[in-house]
């Protein structure tokens, strides 16, 4: 956004100098758009700093079930979308992770599912948790958001890859880093035109949950 910010300001300065009629209206319009663009820059800076900070974290035994519950609650207000929980809310499955980072992974998966569905159709998302090979938790987020085109499937986890006009394409790249640092894995299965399932596999811990 830096180039449009600069161009807008230069345009405004010229209009003011020439005392161009209507420059005050222009000032109001431009200042709104400048604030939007500065907010966008601020988001980009935050995403990049999260990306840079990733390898470190406050790793401890955390309740996976609670982190997932909290993430789902954040997205409960979309009138066209229902989010089903296919797990026992009292199963206190514990994983060794940074709570905030893990929360970010599930928030990003749910946000992507919701964006893939959009506002105009009835959306259904189901989050399931199961145990895999007696030592991993497998969390899957299934959506009916229309799927992923075959030609972009291989790029999804690359930093900066996005198909959204306001997207930064860092969410999945960051998520992959977060999950791999704690010995987990993340992948997806998709059917173009139908929907997508993202799965996260995380090693379970037997330690007490903090
Ligand atoms: P962003 O959301 O900023 O685009 P992400 O890294 O989270 O960044 O996602 C990258 C791209 O992966 C998205 O732009 C979208 O094309 C695709 N994607 C991710 N999740 C889904 C999904 N559930 N359904 C369809 N496409 C998805």
């Amino acid at each position: 956004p830096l180039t449009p910010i600069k161009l807008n300001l230069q345009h405004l300065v010229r209009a003011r100098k020439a005392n161009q009629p209507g420059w005050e209206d222009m000032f109001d319009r431009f200042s709104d758009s400048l604030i939007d663009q500065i907010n966008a820059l601020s988001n980009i800076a935050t995403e990049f700093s999260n990306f840079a900070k990733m390898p470190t974290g406050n790793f401890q035994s955390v309740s996976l079930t609670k982190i997932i519950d909290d993430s789902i609650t954040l997205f409960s207000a979309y009138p066209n979308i229902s989010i089903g929980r296919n797990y026992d809310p009292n199963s206190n499955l514990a994983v060794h992770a940074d709570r905030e980072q893990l929360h970010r992974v599930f928030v990003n998966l749910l946000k992507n599912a919701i964006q893939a569905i959009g506002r105009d159709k009835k959306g259904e998302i189901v989050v399931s948790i199961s145990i895999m090979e007696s030592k991993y938790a497998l969390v899957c987020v299934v959506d009916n958001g229309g799927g992923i085109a075959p030609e972009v499937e291989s790029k999804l986890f690359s930093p900066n890859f996005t198909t959204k006009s306001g997207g930064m394409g860092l969410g999945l790249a960051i998520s992959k880093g977060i999950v791999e640092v704690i010995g987990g894995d993340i992948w997806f299965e998709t059917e173009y035109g139908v929907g997508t399932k993202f799965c996260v596999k995380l090693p379970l811990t037997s330690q007490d949950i903090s």
Side-chain angles (χ1 to χ4, degrees):
L2 280 175
T3 307
I5 290 176
K6 185 173 162 191
L7 289 175
N8 277 352
L9 275 175
Q10 285 171 332
H11 195 56
L12 197 61
V13 168
R14 273 199 303 276
R16 169 78 181 92
K17 271 199 187 135
N19 222 349
Q20 203 173 302
W23 85 268
E24 280 169 346
D25 287 344
M26 194 190 279
F27 178 86
D28 288 342
R29 256 187 303 117
F30 278 14
S31 41
D32 283 349
S33 133
L34 286 179
I35 289 169
D36 284 348
Q37 289 167 55
I38 287 166
N39 283 336
L41 261 183
S42 157
N43 286 338
I44 292 172
T46 308
E47 289 269 1
F48 271 101
S49 97
N50 286 338
F51 194 47
K53 272 199 296 219
M54 226 168 42
T56 60
N58 177 16
F59 299 107
Q60 52 184 310
S61 183
V62 294
S63 164
L64 179 64
T65 323
K66 179 158 187 339
I67 290 174
I68 290 172
D69 265 342
D70 291 348
S71 314
I72 295 175
T73 306
L74 285 179
F75 294 97
S76 55
Y78 290 84
N80 61 323
I81 297 176
S82 72
I83 307 183
R85 296 170 202 235
N86 194 1
Y87 56 84
D88 172 5
N90 299 318
S91 65
N92 247 349
L93 293 180
V95 293
H96 195 67
D98 178 300
R99 187 192 310 272
E100 208 186 295
Q101 290 180 358
L102 208 50
H103 187 246
R104 204 184 303 152
V105 170
F106 297 113
V107 165
N108 187 59
L109 291 183
L110 289 164
K111 182 206 74 171
N112 280 346
I114 283 167
Q115 290 177 338
I117 291 164
R119 288 170 187 270
D120 302 329
K121 80 177 209 193
K122 192 169 159 3
E124 276 174 31
I125 299 174
V126 176
V127 182
S128 62
I129 312 178
S130 50
I131 311 263
M132 196 178 165
E133 298 160 12
S134 340
K135 54 180 180 176
Y136 296 103
L138 179 68
V139 184
C140 294
V141 179
V142 179
D143 70 63
N144 63 339
I148 296 160
E151 62 273 19
V152 302
E153 279 187 30
S154 62
K155 301 182 189 151
L156 243 61
F157 290 100
S158 311
N160 287 325
F161 175 78
T162 182
T163 56
K164 300 168 193 167
S165 58
M168 276 171 268
L170 290 176
L172 286 176
I174 291 174
S175 299
K176 191 172 161 60
I178 291 172
V179 165
E180 287 180 351
V181 152
I182 54 173
D185 199 2
I186 178 169
W187 68 92
F188 64 89
E189 292 157 27
T190 188
E191 194 177 339
Y192 195 39
V194 179
T196 304
K197 167 159 135 180
F198 269 88
C199 292
V200 178
K201 175 181 148 187
L202 298 166
L204 286 164
T205 165
S206 50
Q207 290 165 24
D208 289 334
I209 298 162
S210 63

